[in-house]
Coordinates of all heavy atoms in Angstrom, one line a residue:
Y61 N -10.5 -3.6 -13.0 CA -11.4 -2.4 -12.9 C -11.5 -1.8 -14.3 O -10.6 -1.8 -15.1 CB -10.7 -1.3 -12.0 CG -10.6 -1.8 -10.6 CD1 -9.3 -2.3 -10.1 CD2 -11.6 -1.8 -9.7 CE1 -9.2 -2.7 -8.8 CE2 -11.5 -2.2 -8.4 CZ -10.2 -2.7 -8.0 OH -10.0 -3.1 -6.7
V63 N -11.2 1.0 -15.6 CA -10.6 2.3 -15.7 C -9.2 2.1 -16.2 O -8.5 1.0 -15.9 CB -10.6 3.1 -14.4 CG1 -12.1 3.4 -14.0 CG2 -9.9 2.3 -13.3
P64 N -8.6 3.0 -16.9 CA -7.2 2.9 -17.3 C -6.3 3.0 -16.1 O -6.6 3.5 -15.0 CB -6.9 4.1 -18.3 CG -8.2 4.9 -18.2 CD -9.2 4.2 -17.5
G65 N -5.1 2.5 -16.2 CA -4.1 2.4 -15.1 C -3.8 3.8 -14.5 O -3.7 3.9 -13.3
A66 N -3.7 4.8 -15.3 CA -3.4 6.1 -14.7 C -4.6 6.6 -13.8 O -4.3 7.2 -12.8 CB -3.2 7.2 -15.9
R67 N -5.8 6.3 -14.2 CA -6.9 6.7 -13.4 C -7.0 5.9 -12.1 O -7.2 6.4 -11.1 CB -8.2 6.6 -14.2 CG -9.5 6.9 -13.4 CD -9.6 8.4 -13.1 NE -10.7 8.6 -12.3 CZ -10.7 9.2 -11.0 NH1 -9.5 9.7 -10.6 NH2 -11.7 9.4 -10.3
L68 N -6.7 4.6 -12.3 CA -6.7 3.7 -11.1 C -5.6 4.2 -10.1 O -5.9 4.2 -8.9 CB -6.5 2.3 -11.4 CG -6.5 1.3 -10.3 CD1 -7.9 1.3 -9.5 CD2 -6.3 -0.1 -10.8
R69 N -4.5 4.6 -10.6 CA -3.4 5.1 -9.7 C -3.9 6.3 -8.9 O -3.6 6.5 -7.8 CB -2.2 5.4 -10.5 CG -0.9 5.5 -9.8 CD 0.3 5.6 -10.7 NE 1.5 5.6 -10.0 CZ 2.7 5.6 -10.5 NH1 2.8 5.7 -11.9 NH2 3.8 5.6 -9.8
E70 N -4.6 7.2 -9.6 CA -5.1 8.5 -9.0 C -6.1 8.1 -7.9 O -6.1 8.7 -6.8 CB -5.8 9.4 -10.0 CG -4.9 10.0 -11.0 CD -5.7 10.7 -12.1 OE1 -6.9 10.6 -12.2 OE2 -5.0 11.3 -13.0
I71 N -7.0 7.1 -8.2 CA -8.0 6.7 -7.2 C -7.3 6.1 -6.0 O -7.6 6.4 -4.9 CB -8.9 5.7 -7.9 CG1 -9.8 6.4 -8.8 CG2 -9.7 4.9 -6.8 CD1 -10.7 5.5 -9.7
V72 N -6.3 5.2 -6.2 CA -5.6 4.6 -5.1 C -4.9 5.7 -4.2 O -5.0 5.7 -3.0 CB -4.5 3.6 -5.6 CG1 -3.6 3.1 -4.4 CG2 -5.1 2.4 -6.2
R73 N -4.3 6.7 -4.9 CA -3.7 7.8 -4.2 C -4.7 8.5 -3.3 O -4.4 8.8 -2.1 CB -3.0 8.7 -5.1 CG -2.2 9.9 -4.3 CD -1.4 10.7 -5.2 NE -0.2 9.8 -5.6 CZ 0.7 10.2 -6.4 NH1 0.6 11.4 -7.0 NH2 1.7 9.4 -6.7
A74 N -5.9 8.8 -3.8 CA -6.9 9.5 -3.0 C -7.4 8.7 -1.9 O -7.5 9.2 -0.8 CB -8.1 9.9 -4.0
G91 N 7.6 3.9 -13.7 CA 6.9 2.6 -13.6 C 5.6 2.8 -13.0 O 5.0 3.9 -13.0
E92 N 5.0 1.8 -12.4 CA 3.7 1.8 -11.9 C 3.6 1.5 -10.4 O 2.6 1.1 -9.9 CB 2.8 0.8 -12.7 CG 2.7 1.1 -14.2 CD 2.0 2.4 -14.5 OE1 1.2 2.8 -13.7 OE2 2.3 3.0 -15.6
D94 N 4.0 2.7 -6.4 CA 4.0 3.8 -5.4 C 4.2 3.1 -4.0 O 3.7 2.0 -3.8 CB 2.7 4.6 -5.4 CG 2.6 5.4 -6.7 OD1 3.6 5.8 -7.3 OD2 1.4 5.5 -7.1
I113 N 0.2 -0.8 -10.1 CA -0.8 -0.8 -11.1 C -0.5 -1.8 -12.2 O 0.6 -1.8 -12.7 CB -1.1 0.6 -11.6 CG1 -1.4 1.6 -10.5 CG2 -2.2 0.6 -12.7 CD1 -2.6 1.3 -9.6
V114 N -1.5 -2.6 -12.6 CA -1.3 -3.6 -13.6 C -2.2 -3.4 -14.8 O -3.4 -3.4 -14.6 CB -1.5 -5.0 -13.0 CG1 -1.4 -6.1 -14.0 CG2 -0.7 -5.3 -11.8
G115 N -1.6 -3.1 -15.9 CA -2.5 -2.9 -17.1 C -3.1 -4.2 -17.6 O -2.5 -5.3 -17.5
R116 N -4.4 -4.1 -18.0 CA -5.1 -5.2 -18.4 C -5.8 -5.0 -19.8 O -6.8 -5.6 -20.1 CB -6.3 -5.5 -17.4 CG -5.8 -5.9 -16.0 CD -5.1 -7.2 -16.1 NE -5.1 -7.9 -14.8 CZ -4.3 -8.9 -14.5 NH1 -3.5 -9.4 -15.4 NH2 -4.4 -9.5 -13.3
G117 N -5.1 -4.2 -20.6 CA -5.7 -3.9 -21.9 C -6.3 -2.5 -21.9 O -6.4 -1.9 -20.9
G119 N -8.3 0.5 -21.4 CA -9.3 1.0 -20.5 C -9.5 0.1 -19.3 O -10.5 0.3 -18.6
R120 N -8.7 -0.8 -19.0 CA -8.8 -1.7 -17.9 C -7.5 -1.9 -17.1 O -6.4 -1.8 -17.7 CB -9.3 -3.1 -18.4 CG -10.6 -3.1 -19.1 CD -11.2 -4.5 -19.3 NE -11.5 -5.2 -18.1 CZ -12.6 -5.0 -17.3 NH1 -13.4 -4.0 -17.6 NH2 -12.8 -5.7 -16.2
S121 N -7.6 -2.1 -15.8 CA -6.4 -2.3 -15.0 C -6.8 -3.0 -13.7 O -7.9 -3.1 -13.3 CB -5.8 -0.9 -14.7 OG -6.7 0.0 -14.1
S122 N -5.8 -3.5 -13.1 CA -5.9 -4.1 -11.8 C -4.7 -3.6 -10.9 O -4.0 -2.6 -11.3 CB -5.9 -5.6 -11.8 OG -6.2 -6.2 -10.6
E160 N -15.8 5.6 -18.5 CA -14.9 6.6 -19.0 C -15.5 7.3 -20.3 O -16.1 6.6 -21.1 CB -13.6 5.9 -19.5 CG -12.5 6.9 -19.8 CD -11.2 6.2 -20.2 OE1 -11.3 5.0 -20.5 OE2 -10.2 6.9 -20.2
S164 N -11.7 9.7 -24.7 CA -10.7 10.1 -23.7 C -9.5 9.0 -23.6 O -8.6 9.2 -22.8 CB -11.3 10.3 -22.4 OG -11.8 9.1 -21.8

Side-chain angles (χ1 to χ4, degrees):
Y61 299 99
V63 295
R67 177 69 184 123
L68 183 58
R69 195 172 188 177
E70 291 170 0
I71 289 170
V72 171
R73 181 170 290 175
E92 299 296 331
D94 295 324
I113 304 300
V114 180
R116 296 296 202 191
R120 299 190 65 74
S121 56
S122 189
E160 188 178 21
S164 64

